[in-house]
Structures are given as C-alpha cells and as structure tokens.
Amino acid sequence: MQIKKNVLSCALTLALSAGMAFSASAKTVLKLSHNNDKTHPVHISMQYMADEVKKLTNGEVVVRIYPNSQLGTQRESMELLQSGSLDMAKSNASELEAFEPSYGAFNIPYLFHNVDHYYQALLDPAVGQKILEASKGKGFIGLTYYDGGARSFYADKPIKSPADLKGMKIRVQPSPTAVEMIKLMGASPTPLAYGELYTALQQKVVDGAENNQTALTLARHGEVAKFFSEDEHTMIPDVLVIGQKSWDKLTPEQQKALKKAADDSMMYHKDLWQKMIAETTKEAKDKLGVEFVKVDKQPFIDATKSMHDAAKANPLLKDYIERIDTLATK
C-alpha cells in the first residue's frame, strides 16, 4: 500500500512538474531595446505598452525593456532584430530610412504644418499605417509611432538663419535625408551615435546638433550647448518595430493584442509628450541657463525646398508626400 502511495505521489509530482514546464514554455518573452533613459516619455510609453500586452494576453506575452543602449545602439539593435537575435526595438524614421526607404517620407524638412497635421499623417491608413507595413519581407514590421517632437538646432551660439550654419559641424542621425538637409542649409553634417554626442559637443568635435528639447535635460546637452534655436525643421517620429521572426512566433490573437497595445501607447504618449516638453523647456531655462531663440523659418524652408520637390518626384515617396500635403488642407 505504501509503495502504491509513493508511486502515485511520484506520478503527481511529475505531472505537476510537466504542467509547470509547459506553462513556462507557453510564455513568450520579447526583449525590447532602446537608447533613452528610463525617465524619457518614450520609455514610459513603451512600459505602458508592455503592461497592456501582458493584460491582453493574460501573461502569455511579456515585453522586457532594456533602456540606455544596453543591447547596442539603435542601428546595432536593428541589425540584431533582423537576424532574429533581438525581438523589438525603438528606432526612428531617420535611421529606418536606411532599412526601408518609405520612412524617408517623414524626414523631409518642413513637411508638416503643425502637430495636428503630423498626427493625421501618422494615423492615416495610406501614409503612416502603410509605411509601418512596408518593411514586411525585410526582417521587421512597424507597430506604432511615438511623437519625437519638432527638431531644432542647438549650439553654443544662436542659429537664426542658414547663414549662421556656414562652417559649422552639425551632428545628424545616419540618414541620407538628414545629411542632405544640413548640406543645403550650409553646414557640414556629421553622423554620430547619440550616446557619443555629449562628449562631442563638450570637446568641440561637433559645433552643434539638432533634436527636440528633451535632449537638453535628459541627455544633459544643455550643459554644453546654451542656445536652442526654434527653427523646427523636421517632425520625425520614433518607431516601435518588431523582428519578423519574433512576430511570426506569436499567435494571431497575440499579434492583435500586441498591435492594440502599441497603438494605445501611441495615444498615451501624445499627452505625456506635450507635458514633458513644457517641463523640459522650463528646466532647461531655469536650471541650465539655456536661451530659447525664436526663428524666422522661411529662409530655412527656402533653402530646403528642393528636397520637397525631389521627394514628390521620387516614385517611392511621391504618393506619401502628395497625401500628406492633401491632409494639410483638410
């Protein structure tokens, strides 16, 4: 009798162990890499997305976020993602242009008239959503966008016109469009990883950079660049992407849940971003002594008009640019 009990106990233990093993293997863990600090609105919004995914899938899909370039730069993360060594990454339209040309539509200077126009394009099925799907077959799929604000110049002097950029080395993202824009404005474009920029500004390797206001405080660039010139030349979205191999491992229900969580986090981010910009601007002024300079945008628009014309003549971008222009009149 005792032997029989022991056999049953052993069988039960094995069954429970097998059940636990099955449960553990049923959980899918997605590693997400990005280059921002944990206090950055994009990180907070992606954490919101991760929490929503967990809820919607009853814990079947878990997103683990690795900030501060722990798993590599944005470009390195994209390469890892395409090979299947990484599941998800936050990049932006500038860097993604090198992997999928359609993202170049968002990089044209002075394309968007205001924030409302910008969001109309991102949410439009024929623009934003179509571009997210354009990379299918290239190793990754776009899930959603995060507002990256309007990018402006910052340096150790005011930049009020393209003439002020003459002879300056300006850090840009590794994007063909960004490089062309800076050349047309009269400066020397210098592609550089974001994590290296503080030291580059400090040691005068570059004379200035271009980004939104959060760079001044969260990356402490306001310590080494005291003038933020509000020319607002581009509004380039951050983009949340997932590797094709990782996407294909998910069930259709899990894919739907991940897409919904991502889209919901985009709108969560919209309000968070506006609040952050207001707080960042105040902090940069009050604590770091950064001077915000109002700029007449027309000379910058004129200097880069050829890029808008070229984009409309490009078969890959023509439909996107024309649709974005049309949205501005609605």
Side-chain angles (χ1 to χ4, degrees):
M1 187 70 177
Q2 185 61 39
I3 294 173
K4 189 174 181 180
K5 284 184 178 179
N6 288 341
V7 170
L8 287 171
S9 177
C10 184
L12 182 59
T13 301
L14 287 171
L16 287 171
S17 297
M20 290 171 66
F22 177 80
S23 177
S25 64
K27 184 169 75 172
T28 299
V29 178
L30 302 174
K31 292 186 292 184
L32 193 171
S33 171
H34 71 92
N35 65 349
N36 296 118
D37 184 85
K38 284 185 176 182
T39 60
H40 195 282
V42 170
H43 176 88
I44 296 169
S45 298
M46 288 192 295
Q47 187 58 61
Y48 175 89
M49 178 273 300
D51 293 342
E52 288 299 298
V53 168
K54 191 173 181 179
K55 288 179 192 173
L56 291 170
T57 63
N58 295 315
E60 290 177 359
V61 179
V62 174
V63 178
R64 288 186 185 156
I65 305 175
Y66 296 82
N68 294 316
S69 301
Q70 291 178 43
L71 304 182
T73 65
Q74 282 190 164
R75 187 172 186 86
E76 289 167 346
S77 293
M78 283 303 301
E79 290 167 354
L80 288 170
L81 185 140
Q82 285 182 301
S83 71
S85 301
L86 179 67
D87 301 300
M88 300 174 71
K90 186 278 294 179
S91 187
N92 58 54
S94 280
E95 293 207 3
L96 286 176
E97 181 183 1
F99 297 89
E100 168 48 55
S102 299
Y103 282 99
F106 292 130
N107 301 331
I108 307 302
Y110 300 104
L111 179 64
F112 300 110
H113 295 201
N114 50 45
V115 173
D116 288 341
H117 182 207
Y118 174 64
Y119 270 93
Q120 276 185 297
L122 295 183
L123 294 169
D124 192 271
V127 182
Q129 298 308 302
K130 188 174 180 180
I131 290 173
L132 289 175
E133 296 174 2
S135 60
K136 282 184 178 178
K138 296 184 178 180
F140 70 98
I141 298 168
L143 288 173
T144 198
Y145 299 100
Y146 295 119
D147 194 340
R151 297 178 77 91
S152 294
F153 292 109
Y154 54 95
D156 59 1
K157 71 171 189 179
I159 298 169
K160 295 184 177 181
S161 72
D164 293 326
L165 286 164
K166 189 174 181 181
M168 293 183 71
K169 290 180 290 184
I170 299 293
R171 180 267 175 178
V172 294
Q173 298 178 90
S175 153
T177 306
V179 168
E180 177 66 12
M181 176 186 72
I182 297 299
K183 284 181 179 177
L184 288 172
M185 289 182 179
S188 175
T190 307
L192 194 68
Y194 189 64
E196 300 171 16
L197 182 51
Y198 181 96
T199 303
L201 287 165
Q202 188 179 47
Q203 297 179 355
K204 307 299 180 185
V205 174
V206 294
D207 302 304
E210 50 87 45
N211 209 325
N212 61 66
Q213 297 91 322
T214 63
L216 300 173
T217 56
L218 299 183
R220 301 185 295 115
H221 294 172
E223 295 176 357
V224 288
K226 296 299 182 181
F227 293 91
F228 189 89
S229 303
E230 298 176 296
D231 68 293
E232 298 183 325
H233 44 263
T234 52
M235 299 177 73
I236 298 174
D238 283 338
V239 188
L240 179 65
V241 300
I242 183 169
Q244 184 76 54
K245 292 180 180 178
S246 299
W247 178 256
D248 291 342
K249 289 176 185 176
L250 301 177
T251 66
E253 292 78 15
Q254 291 170 342
Q255 290 174 351
K256 185 177 178 181
L258 180 57
K259 175 61 176 169
K260 175 174 170 40
D263 286 340
D264 287 350
S265 72
M266 173 186 173
M267 302 316 295
Y268 172 85
H269 178 77
K270 183 180 182 181
D271 294 333
L272 190 64
W273 181 259
Q274 294 304 317
K275 181 181 177 183
M276 186 70 173
I277 288 297
E279 292 174 353
T280 294
T281 300
K282 187 176 188 307
E283 183 181 347
K285 287 178 179 177
D286 297 347
K287 295 185 179 179
L288 298 176
V290 176
E291 183 178 336
F292 285 74
V293 182
K294 295 296 180 185
V295 172
D296 177 9
K297 297 178 185 179
Q298 195 58 49
F300 293 95
I301 294 172
D302 294 342
T304 56
K305 184 179 182 299
S306 61
M307 294 184 70
H308 194 279
D309 295 339
K312 290 184 80 169
N314 183 334
L316 287 172
L317 303 181
K318 180 178 181 291
D319 290 346
Y320 294 126
I321 301 302
E322 289 181 348
R323 176 64 180 166
I324 291 170
D325 287 346
T326 300
L327 289 171
T329 64
K330 289 188 175 182

